[in-house]
Amino acid sequence: LGETRPNLDRPAPPAALDAVFHNGLARAMSLSEQRLRARPEDPDAHFRVGASYGYLASYTATNEGRVFGSFGAARRAFREHERVLALDPRRKDAGLIVGLYRYAVSNLSLAKRMMAKLAGFGGDRALALQLVEGAARYPSEAQPDALLTSVLIYNREGRYDDALRVLTELQHRFPRNRLVWLGAANTAL
C-alpha cells in the first residue's frame, strides 16, 4: 500500500537467502501447478497457485524493488484468487489478495487506474475492504496477514478505532510480536 514507483532502490538480499527463497518458491509453484492441472475446477488448487504467485509478486516488488517486474505474478495471483471466489464463494481467504490489489488500484490516479484495468486489475475501494475484512474473519493460514492488511487499510482510511480493535486481537494472538505492539502505538498516535 506504500510506494508505487516503477522501481525502488533496495539493497540486494543475501545471495544464499535469496536462493533458498527462490528454490522453495519454485518447488511450491511446481507442486501447485501440478495439482491445478490434475484438478482444474478445484478451488484449493487455484488458491495454492495464486498464493505462490502472490509471494513471488510481493518478493519481487519489496525485496528486489521491481514494482513493474512484479505485475505478471501479481496478475496471476489476482486471477487465481478471483477464480477461487467464483468456484467457492465461501473461501473468504482468497479475498485477501483480490481485496488488497483492488484497494491499491483504487488509490491510484485516474490514468494509472486505467492502465491497471487494462492489465487486468479492477479497483473498488468498498469491495476491496469487504474482501479483506472477510478474509480477516475467515479461519485460515492467511488470516493473520488479512488482519494486518485490514489494519493498514483502516489507518489509511482514518478508521483508527477499528485498527486498534484488530491490533488488540493480534496482541492477544501474538503477544511477543513487537511489530503488533508498535503498530498499536503508531495507530494510537
Side-chain angles (χ1 to χ4, degrees):
L1 297 180
E3 311 232 13
T4 57
R5 292 179 303 184
N7 290 302
L8 305 170
D9 281 335
R10 299 269 194 247
L17 290 177
D18 186 67
V20 167
F21 173 82
H22 282 289
N23 289 338
L25 183 60
R27 181 72 175 139
M29 292 172 92
S30 174
L31 291 170
S32 62
E33 291 280 9
Q34 286 174 12
R35 183 170 177 183
L36 183 59
R37 281 191 299 278
R39 301 177 186 156
E41 297 302 313
D42 178 9
D44 193 60
H46 285 278
F47 183 87
R48 301 293 170 197
V49 169
S52 297
Y53 279 91
Y55 274 106
L56 178 60
S58 179
Y59 188 87
T60 302
T62 58
N63 289 57
E64 295 176 2
R66 296 185 307 112
V67 175
F68 280 155
S70 70
F71 278 176
R75 184 175 38 243
R76 178 77 189 271
F78 183 82
R79 286 182 181 156
E80 293 296 340
H81 282 210
E82 277 196 320
R83 182 75 176 133
V84 171
L85 293 170
L87 289 169
D88 185 359
R90 295 170 299 175
R91 284 293 306 259
K92 302 294 185 192
D93 49 348
L96 174 58
I97 285 179
V98 176
L100 176 60
Y101 290 175
R102 283 188 179 279
Y103 186 81
V105 168
S106 75
N107 284 296
L108 297 174
S109 68
L110 179 60
K112 288 182 180 176
R113 280 196 316 270
M114 295 301 208
M115 287 175 41
K117 181 84 170 156
L118 291 173
F121 296 103
D124 179 330
R125 181 177 261 129
L127 176 58
L129 186 54
Q130 179 184 3
L131 289 166
V132 171
E133 287 173 332
R137 287 188 302 272
Y138 186 80
S140 72
E141 294 172 6
Q143 189 179 40
D145 292 333
L147 288 165
L148 287 169
T149 300
S150 69
V151 168
L152 293 173
I153 292 173
Y154 290 151
N155 280 332
R156 285 185 61 107
E157 297 292 317
R159 294 175 54 184
Y160 304 114
D161 289 340
D162 290 329
L164 286 171
R165 177 186 46 77
V166 174
L167 285 161
T168 299
E169 177 184 341
L170 287 167
Q171 287 170 334
H172 288 290
R173 289 176 68 175
F174 306 103
R176 296 180 48 126
N177 187 319
R178 69 179 181 80
L179 296 177
V180 173
W181 292 91
L182 288 172
N186 185 53
T187 299
L189 287 175

